[in-house]
Amino acid sequence: MAVAQRVLYIEDEKFFADTLENVLSQIGYDVKQAPDGEAGLRVAREWKPDLILLDLLLPKIEGFEVLRQLKADLATSKIPIVVLSNLNSESDVKKAKELGALHFFVKAVTMPTSISSTVKEIVGLPPALKAV
């Protein structure tokens, strides 16, 4: 049996994290949450997700620094990262992309279905959907 793709969501706002985890889990992805940048780095290195969803406004280590460290570490540098943040200035988007983010979504105006579509584009369909 195929293993579900792993998605790590580094997000300190529990409502956002739970909502997106529910959406992605129902589709068939294996989702883990990390509530701050420090935990996010640790989980990313230990769990080796197929994709990381990253908030920028995080406790302990802020998101831009998490992104920089993930891309600088050989163990995590190839993991695609999608930023989900309420920061939405042109300079924030530019900085995230320069640091290696594939996509940038503004949480306040993005539906979970848009995010799940992007997850499918990046890591493919979960095994449950491939069998259908």
mmCIF file of all heavy atoms in Angstrom, residues 66-119:
data_model
loop_
_atom_site.group_PDB
_atom_site.id
_atom_site.type_symbol
_atom_site.label_atom_id
_atom_site.label_comp_id
_atom_site.label_asym_id
_atom_site.label_seq_id
_atom_site.Cartn_x
_atom_site.Cartn_y
_atom_site.Cartn_z
ATOM 1 N N VAL A 66 12.927 30.600 9.777
ATOM 2 C CA VAL A 66 12.651 29.170 9.600
ATOM 3 C C VAL A 66 12.878 28.793 8.136
ATOM 4 O O VAL A 66 13.548 27.804 7.829
ATOM 5 C CB VAL A 66 11.209 28.816 10.039
ATOM 6 C CG1 VAL A 66 10.852 27.380 9.654
ATOM 7 C CG2 VAL A 66 11.044 29.023 11.546
ATOM 8 N N LEU A 67 12.337 29.580 7.239
ATOM 9 C CA LEU A 67 12.496 29.347 5.803
ATOM 10 C C LEU A 67 13.979 29.348 5.419
ATOM 11 O O LEU A 67 14.454 28.453 4.711
ATOM 12 C CB LEU A 67 11.718 30.416 5.021
ATOM 13 C CG LEU A 67 11.755 30.377 3.505
ATOM 14 C CD1 LEU A 67 11.305 29.038 2.948
ATOM 15 C CD2 LEU A 67 10.862 31.498 2.951
ATOM 16 N N ARG A 68 14.710 30.337 5.909
ATOM 17 C CA ARG A 68 16.140 30.429 5.603
ATOM 18 C C ARG A 68 16.887 29.184 6.097
ATOM 19 O O ARG A 68 17.683 28.591 5.364
ATOM 20 C CB ARG A 68 16.741 31.693 6.243
ATOM 21 C CG ARG A 68 18.157 32.002 5.758
ATOM 22 C CD ARG A 68 18.850 33.035 6.618
ATOM 23 N NE ARG A 68 19.108 32.561 7.987
ATOM 24 C CZ ARG A 68 19.990 31.611 8.309
ATOM 25 N NH1 ARG A 68 20.684 31.001 7.387
ATOM 26 N NH2 ARG A 68 20.159 31.261 9.567
ATOM 27 N N GLN A 69 16.596 28.772 7.332
ATOM 28 C CA GLN A 69 17.287 27.604 7.899
ATOM 29 C C GLN A 69 16.924 26.317 7.167
ATOM 30 O O GLN A 69 17.783 25.461 6.926
ATOM 31 C CB GLN A 69 16.978 27.467 9.390
ATOM 32 C CG GLN A 69 17.682 28.503 10.231
ATOM 33 C CD GLN A 69 17.531 28.238 11.719
ATOM 34 O OE1 GLN A 69 17.507 27.102 12.163
ATOM 35 N NE2 GLN A 69 17.428 29.306 12.493
ATOM 36 N N LEU A 70 15.650 26.162 6.811
ATOM 37 C CA LEU A 70 15.232 24.952 6.092
ATOM 38 C C LEU A 70 15.927 24.853 4.741
ATOM 39 O O LEU A 70 16.354 23.771 4.328
ATOM 40 C CB LEU A 70 13.709 24.938 5.901
ATOM 41 C CG LEU A 70 12.883 24.681 7.158
ATOM 42 C CD1 LEU A 70 11.410 24.968 6.897
ATOM 43 C CD2 LEU A 70 13.070 23.246 7.651
ATOM 44 N N LYS A 71 16.046 25.960 4.043
ATOM 45 C CA LYS A 71 16.672 25.949 2.723
ATOM 46 C C LYS A 71 18.196 25.836 2.800
ATOM 47 O O LYS A 71 18.834 25.372 1.863
ATOM 48 C CB LYS A 71 16.259 27.188 1.918
ATOM 49 C CG LYS A 71 14.798 27.144 1.490
ATOM 50 C CD LYS A 71 14.527 25.919 0.641
ATOM 51 C CE LYS A 71 13.106 25.773 0.191
ATOM 52 N NZ LYS A 71 12.880 24.550 -0.586
ATOM 53 N N ALA A 72 18.788 26.215 3.941
ATOM 54 C CA ALA A 72 20.239 26.127 4.112
ATOM 55 C C ALA A 72 20.692 24.741 4.577
ATOM 56 O O ALA A 72 21.854 24.384 4.429
ATOM 57 C CB ALA A 72 20.703 27.182 5.117
ATOM 58 N N ASP A 73 19.775 23.947 5.110
ATOM 59 C CA ASP A 73 20.087 22.624 5.663
ATOM 60 C C ASP A 73 19.930 21.570 4.562
ATOM 61 O O ASP A 73 18.862 21.437 3.971
ATOM 62 C CB ASP A 73 19.114 22.341 6.822
ATOM 63 C CG ASP A 73 19.409 21.044 7.548
ATOM 64 O OD1 ASP A 73 20.046 20.132 6.969
ATOM 65 O OD2 ASP A 73 18.972 20.918 8.710
ATOM 66 N N LEU A 74 20.995 20.811 4.296
ATOM 67 C CA LEU A 74 20.936 19.787 3.246
ATOM 68 C C LEU A 74 19.820 18.772 3.475
ATOM 69 O O LEU A 74 19.251 18.252 2.518
ATOM 70 C CB LEU A 74 22.278 19.063 3.125
ATOM 71 C CG LEU A 74 23.400 19.850 2.455
ATOM 72 C CD1 LEU A 74 24.702 19.068 2.473
ATOM 73 C CD2 LEU A 74 23.017 20.229 1.032
ATOM 74 N N ALA A 75 19.494 18.501 4.731
ATOM 75 C CA ALA A 75 18.455 17.514 5.045
ATOM 76 C C ALA A 75 17.054 18.002 4.682
ATOM 77 O O ALA A 75 16.153 17.197 4.473
ATOM 78 C CB ALA A 75 18.506 17.154 6.527
ATOM 79 N N THR A 76 16.859 19.324 4.598
ATOM 80 C CA THR A 76 15.518 19.860 4.340
ATOM 81 C C THR A 76 15.462 20.803 3.136
ATOM 82 O O THR A 76 14.381 21.273 2.782
ATOM 83 C CB THR A 76 15.001 20.625 5.582
ATOM 84 O OG1 THR A 76 15.945 21.647 5.933
ATOM 85 C CG2 THR A 76 14.785 19.694 6.770
ATOM 86 N N SER A 77 16.577 21.055 2.513
ATOM 87 C CA SER A 77 16.625 22.087 1.462
ATOM 88 C C SER A 77 15.758 21.790 0.243
ATOM 89 O O SER A 77 15.323 22.702 -0.446
ATOM 90 C CB SER A 77 18.070 22.325 1.018
ATOM 91 O OG SER A 77 18.588 21.159 0.400
ATOM 92 N N LYS A 78 15.489 20.515 -0.029
ATOM 93 C CA LYS A 78 14.702 20.147 -1.213
ATOM 94 C C LYS A 78 13.198 20.087 -0.946
ATOM 95 O O LYS A 78 12.407 19.899 -1.866
ATOM 96 C CB LYS A 78 15.171 18.794 -1.747
ATOM 97 C CG LYS A 78 16.631 18.762 -2.146
ATOM 98 C CD LYS A 78 16.815 19.117 -3.600
ATOM 99 C CE LYS A 78 18.225 18.871 -4.064
ATOM 100 N NZ LYS A 78 19.035 20.058 -4.135
ATOM 101 N N ILE A 79 12.789 20.241 0.314
ATOM 102 C CA ILE A 79 11.359 20.178 0.657
ATOM 103 C C ILE A 79 10.683 21.457 0.160
ATOM 104 O O ILE A 79 11.094 22.564 0.518
ATOM 105 C CB ILE A 79 11.146 20.027 2.178
ATOM 106 C CG1 ILE A 79 11.811 18.749 2.702
ATOM 107 C CG2 ILE A 79 9.644 20.031 2.512
ATOM 108 C CD1 ILE A 79 11.846 18.652 4.220
ATOM 109 N N PRO A 80 9.635 21.321 -0.671
ATOM 110 C CA PRO A 80 8.920 22.519 -1.128
ATOM 111 C C PRO A 80 8.238 23.214 0.054
ATOM 112 O O PRO A 80 7.702 22.544 0.948
ATOM 113 C CB PRO A 80 7.887 21.985 -2.113
ATOM 114 C CG PRO A 80 8.162 20.537 -2.292
ATOM 115 C CD PRO A 80 9.083 20.096 -1.213
ATOM 116 N N ILE A 81 8.252 24.545 0.028
ATOM 117 C CA ILE A 81 7.640 25.333 1.105
ATOM 118 C C ILE A 81 6.649 26.322 0.516
ATOM 119 O O ILE A 81 6.970 27.048 -0.428
ATOM 120 C CB ILE A 81 8.718 26.073 1.925
ATOM 121 C CG1 ILE A 81 9.662 25.054 2.583
ATOM 122 C CG2 ILE A 81 8.072 26.974 2.985
ATOM 123 C CD1 ILE A 81 10.859 25.651 3.289
ATOM 124 N N VAL A 82 5.447 26.323 1.092
ATOM 125 C CA VAL A 82 4.401 27.264 0.716
ATOM 126 C C VAL A 82 4.136 28.143 1.928
ATOM 127 O O VAL A 82 3.870 27.639 3.026
ATOM 128 C CB VAL A 82 3.106 26.522 0.302
ATOM 129 C CG1 VAL A 82 1.966 27.490 0.075
ATOM 130 C CG2 VAL A 82 3.362 25.680 -0.953
ATOM 131 N N VAL A 83 4.219 29.446 1.743
ATOM 132 C CA VAL A 83 3.981 30.384 2.839
ATOM 133 C C VAL A 83 2.495 30.723 2.911
ATOM 134 O O VAL A 83 1.857 31.007 1.895
ATOM 135 C CB VAL A 83 4.820 31.670 2.656
ATOM 136 C CG1 VAL A 83 4.410 32.746 3.649
ATOM 137 C CG2 VAL A 83 6.306 31.359 2.799
ATOM 138 N N LEU A 84 1.954 30.656 4.135
ATOM 139 C CA LEU A 84 0.582 31.063 4.432
ATOM 140 C C LEU A 84 0.685 32.105 5.529
ATOM 141 O O LEU A 84 1.040 31.771 6.652
ATOM 142 C CB LEU A 84 -0.251 29.890 4.952
ATOM 143 C CG LEU A 84 -0.342 28.656 4.079
ATOM 144 C CD1 LEU A 84 -1.060 27.541 4.816
ATOM 145 C CD2 LEU A 84 -1.080 28.973 2.804
ATOM 146 N N SER A 85 0.421 33.354 5.206
ATOM 147 C CA SER A 85 0.622 34.414 6.185
ATOM 148 C C SER A 85 -0.379 35.533 5.968
ATOM 149 O O SER A 85 -0.935 35.675 4.883
ATOM 150 C CB SER A 85 2.041 34.966 6.046
ATOM 151 O OG SER A 85 2.262 35.988 6.979
ATOM 152 N N ASN A 86 -0.586 36.320 6.995
ATOM 153 C CA ASN A 86 -1.385 37.530 6.817
ATOM 154 C C ASN A 86 -0.507 38.733 6.497
ATOM 155 O O ASN A 86 -1.006 39.817 6.267
ATOM 156 C CB ASN A 86 -2.286 37.778 8.031
ATOM 157 C CG ASN A 86 -3.527 36.908 7.965
ATOM 158 O OD1 ASN A 86 -4.077 36.670 6.892
ATOM 159 N ND2 ASN A 86 -3.960 36.412 9.101
ATOM 160 N N LEU A 87 0.803 38.535 6.489
ATOM 161 C CA LEU A 87 1.680 39.572 5.950
ATOM 162 C C LEU A 87 1.431 39.566 4.444
ATOM 163 O O LEU A 87 1.387 38.514 3.830
ATOM 164 C CB LEU A 87 3.153 39.238 6.219
ATOM 165 C CG LEU A 87 3.619 39.227 7.664
ATOM 166 C CD1 LEU A 87 5.093 38.842 7.735
ATOM 167 C CD2 LEU A 87 3.403 40.580 8.315
ATOM 168 N N ASN A 88 1.249 40.720 3.856
ATOM 169 C CA ASN A 88 0.936 40.697 2.432
ATOM 170 C C ASN A 88 1.582 41.831 1.643
ATOM 171 O O ASN A 88 1.164 42.130 0.540
ATOM 172 C CB ASN A 88 -0.576 40.678 2.209
ATOM 173 C CG ASN A 88 -1.247 41.932 2.715
ATOM 174 O OD1 ASN A 88 -0.621 42.782 3.331
ATOM 175 N ND2 ASN A 88 -2.533 42.050 2.463
ATOM 176 N N SER A 89 2.596 42.449 2.213
ATOM 177 C CA SER A 89 3.260 43.512 1.468
ATOM 178 C C SER A 89 4.080 42.893 0.345
ATOM 179 O O SER A 89 4.499 41.731 0.424
ATOM 180 C CB SER A 89 4.161 44.340 2.383
ATOM 181 O OG SER A 89 5.325 43.611 2.701
ATOM 182 N N GLU A 90 4.315 43.676 -0.674
ATOM 183 C CA GLU A 90 5.105 43.203 -1.804
ATOM 184 C C GLU A 90 6.491 42.764 -1.343
ATOM 185 O O GLU A 90 7.033 41.768 -1.826
ATOM 186 C CB GLU A 90 5.215 44.341 -2.831
ATOM 187 C CG GLU A 90 5.490 43.869 -4.226
ATOM 188 C CD GLU A 90 5.411 45.018 -5.215
ATOM 189 O OE1 GLU A 90 4.314 45.584 -5.381
ATOM 190 O OE2 GLU A 90 6.458 45.335 -5.811
ATOM 191 N N SER A 91 7.058 43.489 -0.365
ATOM 192 C CA SER A 91 8.401 43.144 0.116
ATOM 193 C C SER A 91 8.397 41.809 0.866
ATOM 194 O O SER A 91 9.362 41.041 0.771
ATOM 195 C CB SER A 91 8.981 44.251 0.988
ATOM 196 O OG SER A 91 8.197 44.445 2.140
ATOM 197 N N ASP A 92 7.319 41.499 1.605
ATOM 198 C CA ASP A 92 7.227 40.209 2.305
ATOM 199 C C ASP A 92 7.148 39.063 1.303
ATOM 200 O O ASP A 92 7.815 38.037 1.454
ATOM 201 C CB ASP A 92 5.999 40.163 3.224
ATOM 202 C CG ASP A 92 6.125 41.092 4.417
ATOM 203 O OD1 ASP A 92 7.254 41.295 4.910
ATOM 204 O OD2 ASP A 92 5.088 41.637 4.854
ATOM 205 N N VAL A 93 6.320 39.230 0.283
ATOM 206 C CA VAL A 93 6.166 38.198 -0.743
ATOM 207 C C VAL A 93 7.499 37.993 -1.462
ATOM 208 O O VAL A 93 7.958 36.857 -1.644
ATOM 209 C CB VAL A 93 5.054 38.575 -1.751
ATOM 210 C CG1 VAL A 93 4.991 37.570 -2.895
ATOM 211 C CG2 VAL A 93 3.702 38.683 -1.047
ATOM 212 N N LYS A 94 8.150 39.085 -1.807
ATOM 213 C CA LYS A 94 9.436 39.023 -2.520
ATOM 214 C C LYS A 94 10.492 38.325 -1.656
ATOM 215 O O LYS A 94 11.220 37.451 -2.130
ATOM 216 C CB LYS A 94 9.884 40.443 -2.874
ATOM 217 C CG LYS A 94 11.151 40.498 -3.700
ATOM 218 C CD LYS A 94 11.460 41.948 -4.118
ATOM 219 C CE LYS A 94 12.641 41.958 -5.056
ATOM 220 N NZ LYS A 94 13.761 42.714 -4.592
ATOM 221 N N LYS A 95 10.550 38.697 -0.386
ATOM 222 C CA LYS A 95 11.542 38.101 0.522
ATOM 223 C C LYS A 95 11.307 36.596 0.665
ATOM 224 O O LYS A 95 12.257 35.808 0.605
ATOM 225 C CB LYS A 95 11.478 38.777 1.893
ATOM 226 C CG LYS A 95 12.511 38.270 2.875
ATOM 227 C CD LYS A 95 12.468 39.059 4.177
ATOM 228 C CE LYS A 95 13.492 38.547 5.163
ATOM 229 N NZ LYS A 95 13.453 39.288 6.429
ATOM 230 N N ALA A 96 10.045 36.189 0.824
ATOM 231 C CA ALA A 96 9.728 34.764 0.976
ATOM 232 C C ALA A 96 10.158 33.984 -0.269
ATOM 233 O O ALA A 96 10.763 32.912 -0.172
ATOM 234 C CB ALA A 96 8.236 34.576 1.245
ATOM 235 N N LYS A 97 9.865 34.528 -1.435
ATOM 236 C CA LYS A 97 10.238 33.843 -2.686
ATOM 237 C C LYS A 97 11.752 33.813 -2.863
ATOM 238 O O LYS A 97 12.306 32.801 -3.301
ATOM 239 C CB LYS A 97 9.540 34.499 -3.871
ATOM 240 C CG LYS A 97 8.019 34.334 -3.763
ATOM 241 C CD LYS A 97 7.380 34.043 -5.072
ATOM 242 C CE LYS A 97 5.922 33.689 -4.804
ATOM 243 N NZ LYS A 97 5.138 33.592 -5.981
ATOM 244 N N GLU A 98 12.430 34.900 -2.502
ATOM 245 C CA GLU A 98 13.896 34.926 -2.596
ATOM 246 C C GLU A 98 14.528 33.889 -1.672
ATOM 247 O O GLU A 98 15.568 33.320 -1.986
ATOM 248 C CB GLU A 98 14.441 36.317 -2.262
ATOM 249 C CG GLU A 98 14.230 37.320 -3.370
ATOM 250 C CD GLU A 98 14.609 38.742 -2.982
ATOM 251 O OE1 GLU A 98 14.909 39.007 -1.790
ATOM 252 O OE2 GLU A 98 14.584 39.610 -3.878
ATOM 253 N N LEU A 99 13.890 33.639 -0.532
ATOM 254 C CA LEU A 99 14.401 32.646 0.419
ATOM 255 C C LEU A 99 14.041 31.217 0.016
ATOM 256 O O LEU A 99 14.498 30.268 0.646
ATOM 257 C CB LEU A 99 13.880 32.943 1.832
ATOM 258 C CG LEU A 99 14.489 34.167 2.506
ATOM 259 C CD1 LEU A 99 13.748 34.515 3.792
ATOM 260 C CD2 LEU A 99 15.972 33.937 2.793
ATOM 261 N N GLY A 100 13.196 31.069 -1.011
ATOM 262 C CA GLY A 100 12.917 29.719 -1.512
ATOM 263 C C GLY A 100 11.484 29.250 -1.461
ATOM 264 O O GLY A 100 11.206 28.101 -1.804
ATOM 265 N N ALA A 101 10.545 30.092 -1.021
ATOM 266 C CA ALA A 101 9.139 29.665 -1.005
ATOM 267 C C ALA A 101 8.609 29.529 -2.432
ATOM 268 O O ALA A 101 8.895 30.357 -3.288
ATOM 269 C CB ALA A 101 8.291 30.678 -0.238
ATOM 270 N N LEU A 102 7.848 28.471 -2.675
ATOM 271 C CA LEU A 102 7.255 28.252 -3.997
ATOM 272 C C LEU A 102 6.038 29.131 -4.239
ATOM 273 O O LEU A 102 5.834 29.619 -5.341
ATOM 274 C CB LEU A 102 6.807 26.791 -4.140
ATOM 275 C CG LEU A 102 7.858 25.752 -4.432
ATOM 276 C CD1 LEU A 102 7.207 24.389 -4.550
ATOM 277 C CD2 LEU A 102 8.614 26.083 -5.694
ATOM 278 N N HIS A 103 5.207 29.248 -3.219
ATOM 279 C CA HIS A 103 3.973 30.031 -3.316
ATOM 280 C C HIS A 103 3.816 30.857 -2.052
ATOM 281 O O HIS A 103 4.366 30.523 -1.012
ATOM 282 C CB HIS A 103 2.740 29.122 -3.460
ATOM 283 C CG HIS A 103 2.699 28.358 -4.732
ATOM 284 N ND1 HIS A 103 2.296 28.911 -5.922
ATOM 285 C CD2 HIS A 103 3.005 27.075 -5.012
ATOM 286 C CE1 HIS A 103 2.368 28.003 -6.872
ATOM 287 N NE2 HIS A 103 2.797 26.872 -6.343
ATOM 288 N N PHE A 104 2.990 31.896 -2.145
ATOM 289 C CA PHE A 104 2.690 32.758 -1.005
ATOM 290 C C PHE A 104 1.192 33.017 -1.008
ATOM 291 O O PHE A 104 0.658 33.560 -1.974
ATOM 292 C CB PHE A 104 3.437 34.090 -1.146
ATOM 293 C CG PHE A 104 3.424 34.946 0.093
ATOM 294 C CD1 PHE A 104 4.575 35.131 0.836
ATOM 295 C CD2 PHE A 104 2.261 35.581 0.510
ATOM 296 C CE1 PHE A 104 4.577 35.930 1.980
ATOM 297 C CE2 PHE A 104 2.243 36.378 1.650
ATOM 298 C CZ PHE A 104 3.415 36.549 2.385
ATOM 299 N N PHE A 105 0.507 32.575 0.033
ATOM 300 C CA PHE A 105 -0.924 32.812 0.181
ATOM 301 C C PHE A 105 -1.167 33.748 1.358
ATOM 302 O O PHE A 105 -0.540 33.587 2.407
ATOM 303 C CB PHE A 105 -1.686 31.509 0.469
ATOM 304 C CG PHE A 105 -1.775 30.575 -0.696
ATOM 305 C CD1 PHE A 105 -0.980 29.449 -0.767
ATOM 306 C CD2 PHE A 105 -2.683 30.817 -1.726
ATOM 307 C CE1 PHE A 105 -1.072 28.570 -1.832
ATOM 308 C CE2 PHE A 105 -2.785 29.948 -2.791
ATOM 309 C CZ PHE A 105 -1.977 28.824 -2.856
ATOM 310 N N VAL A 106 -2.081 34.686 1.197
ATOM 311 C CA VAL A 106 -2.522 35.532 2.297
ATOM 312 C C VAL A 106 -3.690 34.798 2.963
ATOM 313 O O VAL A 106 -4.730 34.592 2.345
ATOM 314 C CB VAL A 106 -2.942 36.934 1.808
ATOM 315 C CG1 VAL A 106 -3.450 37.774 2.976
ATOM 316 C CG2 VAL A 106 -1.767 37.625 1.119
ATOM 317 N N LYS A 107 -3.493 34.376 4.214
ATOM 318 C CA LYS A 107 -4.484 33.533 4.901
ATOM 319 C C LYS A 107 -5.878 34.144 4.928
ATOM 320 O O LYS A 107 -6.855 33.442 4.719
ATOM 321 C CB LYS A 107 -4.050 33.261 6.345
ATOM 322 C CG LYS A 107 -2.958 32.262 6.480
ATOM 323 C CD LYS A 107 -2.745 31.844 7.921
ATOM 324 C CE LYS A 107 -2.234 32.955 8.782
ATOM 325 N NZ LYS A 107 -1.727 32.518 10.078
ATOM 326 N N ALA A 108 -5.954 35.438 5.187
ATOM 327 C CA ALA A 108 -7.259 36.082 5.375
ATOM 328 C C ALA A 108 -8.137 36.024 4.126
ATOM 329 O O ALA A 108 -9.355 36.117 4.234
ATOM 330 C CB ALA A 108 -7.070 37.532 5.805
ATOM 331 N N VAL A 109 -7.535 35.870 2.970
ATOM 332 C CA VAL A 109 -8.322 35.899 1.727
ATOM 333 C C VAL A 109 -8.181 34.618 0.902
ATOM 334 O O VAL A 109 -8.563 34.590 -0.259
ATOM 335 C CB VAL A 109 -7.949 37.125 0.854
ATOM 336 C CG1 VAL A 109 -8.299 38.416 1.575
ATOM 337 C CG2 VAL A 109 -6.485 37.103 0.458
ATOM 338 N N THR A 110 -7.656 33.559 1.501
ATOM 339 C CA THR A 110 -7.439 32.316 0.762
ATOM 340 C C THR A 110 -8.301 31.204 1.341
ATOM 341 O O THR A 110 -8.285 30.960 2.539
ATOM 342 C CB THR A 110 -5.949 31.898 0.818
ATOM 343 O OG1 THR A 110 -5.159 32.972 0.316
ATOM 344 C CG2 THR A 110 -5.710 30.661 -0.026
ATOM 345 N N MET A 111 -9.030 30.538 0.466
ATOM 346 C CA MET A 111 -9.855 29.409 0.881
ATOM 347 C C MET A 111 -8.988 28.159 1.046
ATOM 348 O O MET A 111 -8.038 27.965 0.281
ATOM 349 C CB MET A 111 -10.930 29.127 -0.177
ATOM 350 C CG MET A 111 -11.934 30.252 -0.361
ATOM 351 S SD MET A 111 -12.891 30.584 1.125
ATOM 352 C CE MET A 111 -13.845 29.081 1.254
ATOM 353 N N PRO A 112 -9.327 27.293 2.006
ATOM 354 C CA PRO A 112 -8.569 26.044 2.167
ATOM 355 C C PRO A 112 -8.520 25.205 0.884
ATOM 356 O O PRO A 112 -7.543 24.516 0.633
ATOM 357 C CB PRO A 112 -9.317 25.314 3.284
ATOM 358 C CG PRO A 112 -9.963 26.397 4.073
ATOM 359 C CD PRO A 112 -10.322 27.463 3.065
ATOM 360 N N THR A 113 -9.561 25.295 0.057
ATOM 361 C CA THR A 113 -9.559 24.522 -1.191
ATOM 362 C C THR A 113 -8.456 24.992 -2.139
ATOM 363 O O THR A 113 -7.881 24.188 -2.870
ATOM 364 C CB THR A 113 -10.931 24.605 -1.900
ATOM 365 O OG1 THR A 113 -11.306 25.984 -2.009
ATOM 366 C CG2 THR A 113 -11.992 23.848 -1.139
ATOM 367 N N SER A 114 -8.146 26.289 -2.128
ATOM 368 C CA SER A 114 -7.045 26.794 -2.958
ATOM 369 C C SER A 114 -5.713 26.232 -2.474
ATOM 370 O O SER A 114 -4.849 25.871 -3.269
ATOM 371 C CB SER A 114 -6.980 28.319 -2.904
ATOM 372 O OG SER A 114 -8.133 28.884 -3.440
ATOM 373 N N ILE A 115 -5.575 26.161 -1.171
ATOM 374 C CA ILE A 115 -4.337 25.627 -0.599
ATOM 375 C C ILE A 115 -4.236 24.135 -0.905
ATOM 376 O O ILE A 115 -3.177 23.652 -1.323
ATOM 377 C CB ILE A 115 -4.273 25.905 0.915
ATOM 378 C CG1 ILE A 115 -4.252 27.421 1.143
ATOM 379 C CG2 ILE A 115 -3.054 25.237 1.545
ATOM 380 C CD1 ILE A 115 -4.572 27.859 2.547
ATOM 381 N N SER A 116 -5.340 23.393 -0.749
ATOM 382 C CA SER A 116 -5.289 21.951 -1.024
ATOM 383 C C SER A 116 -5.002 21.693 -2.504
ATOM 384 O O SER A 116 -4.301 20.746 -2.847
ATOM 385 C CB SER A 116 -6.562 21.238 -0.566
ATOM 386 O OG SER A 116 -7.688 21.659 -1.292
ATOM 387 N N SER A 117 -5.502 22.536 -3.394
ATOM 388 C CA SER A 117 -5.191 22.390 -4.822
ATOM 389 C C SER A 117 -3.698 22.575 -5.076
ATOM 390 O O SER A 117 -3.094 21.846 -5.864
ATOM 391 C CB SER A 117 -5.971 23.407 -5.656
ATOM 392 O OG SER A 117 -7.347 23.124 -5.619
ATOM 393 N N THR A 118 -3.107 23.544 -4.399
ATOM 394 C CA THR A 118 -1.670 23.784 -4.543
ATOM 395 C C THR A 118 -0.870 22.619 -3.978
ATOM 396 O O THR A 118 0.126 22.192 -4.575
ATOM 397 C CB THR A 118 -1.277 25.113 -3.864
ATOM 398 O OG1 THR A 118 -1.995 26.165 -4.511
ATOM 399 C CG2 THR A 118 0.212 25.380 -3.954
ATOM 400 N N VAL A 119 -1.315 22.071 -2.849
ATOM 401 C CA VAL A 119 -0.648 20.898 -2.269
ATOM 402 C C VAL A 119 -0.674 19.752 -3.285
ATOM 403 O O VAL A 119 0.354 19.108 -3.535
ATOM 404 C CB VAL A 119 -1.306 20.479 -0.933
ATOM 405 C CG1 VAL A 119 -0.786 19.132 -0.459
ATOM 406 C CG2 VAL A 119 -1.066 21.544 0.134
#
